Amino acid sequence: MSQPAAQLVRDYFELVWNQGRTELADRFLAAGLIQHNPNLPNGRRPLAEFIDGMRAQLPQARFEIRRMAVDGDLVFTHSLFTAQPGHSGIAVVDVFRIADGLIAEHWDLREDVPETTASGNPIV
């Protein structure tokens, strides 16, 4: 499960989010996607519509996966999201549950990337 699930999530980020190819959403997302993001309803269509709207406003928005782990049917990513070149970015952790070769459930957390940290270490 690990390699196909990890590749599914990598391809999802690149094609659907970074390239805005939401017409491919059915290759990656279950129709009845269970969504734990508090700003989105369940389902594939609402997420695709959200991505279309976001990319209309921020056509250069991009996710860069920095770390990824797989545990059973769960895929975890730690990414840097930038809205446009020069944006300091947002650190994002996504958790995806994979079922029948599709993303069936999604959780996410986000934090703006600060200019400095007490440790001097980056957050993403």
Side-chain angles (χ1 to χ4, degrees):
M1 159 74 103
S2 65
Q3 192 63 3
Q7 193 60 53
L8 174 81
V9 170
R10 282 186 192 285
D11 292 346
Y12 165 68
F13 272 115
E14 181 54 35
L15 294 171
V16 178
W17 281 95
N18 292 342
Q19 295 181 22
R21 298 185 62 198
T22 55
E23 77 278 6
L24 301 178
D26 62 342
R27 281 194 194 172
F28 303 98
L29 302 168
L33 172 70
I34 300 167
Q35 184 63 259
H36 296 278
N37 179 306
N39 302 309
L40 290 169
N42 289 332
R44 176 193 309 140
R45 177 172 284 146
L47 179 56
E49 289 171 354
F50 172 80
I51 294 167
D52 286 338
M54 184 207 69
R55 293 202 55 81
Q57 293 181 336
L58 302 167
Q60 295 179 305
R62 179 159 188 82
F63 275 94
E64 179 186 334
I65 298 172
R66 298 282 179 90
R67 290 163 198 84
M68 179 179 272
V70 178
D71 182 15
D73 63 351
L74 299 175
V75 178
F76 304 83
T77 60
H78 184 206
S79 304
L80 176 63
F81 171 80
T82 50
Q84 58 198 21
H87 176 233
S88 59
I90 300 168
V92 181
V93 174
D94 287 285
V95 180
F96 302 97
R97 183 176 60 81
I98 310 301
D100 299 323
L102 296 171
I103 296 168
E105 196 164 3
H106 171 252
W107 299 258
D108 63 334
L109 301 166
R110 50 174 277 160
E111 181 176 350
D112 290 338
V113 173
E115 288 186 33
T116 61
T117 62
S119 65
N121 299 320
I123 69 167
V124 71

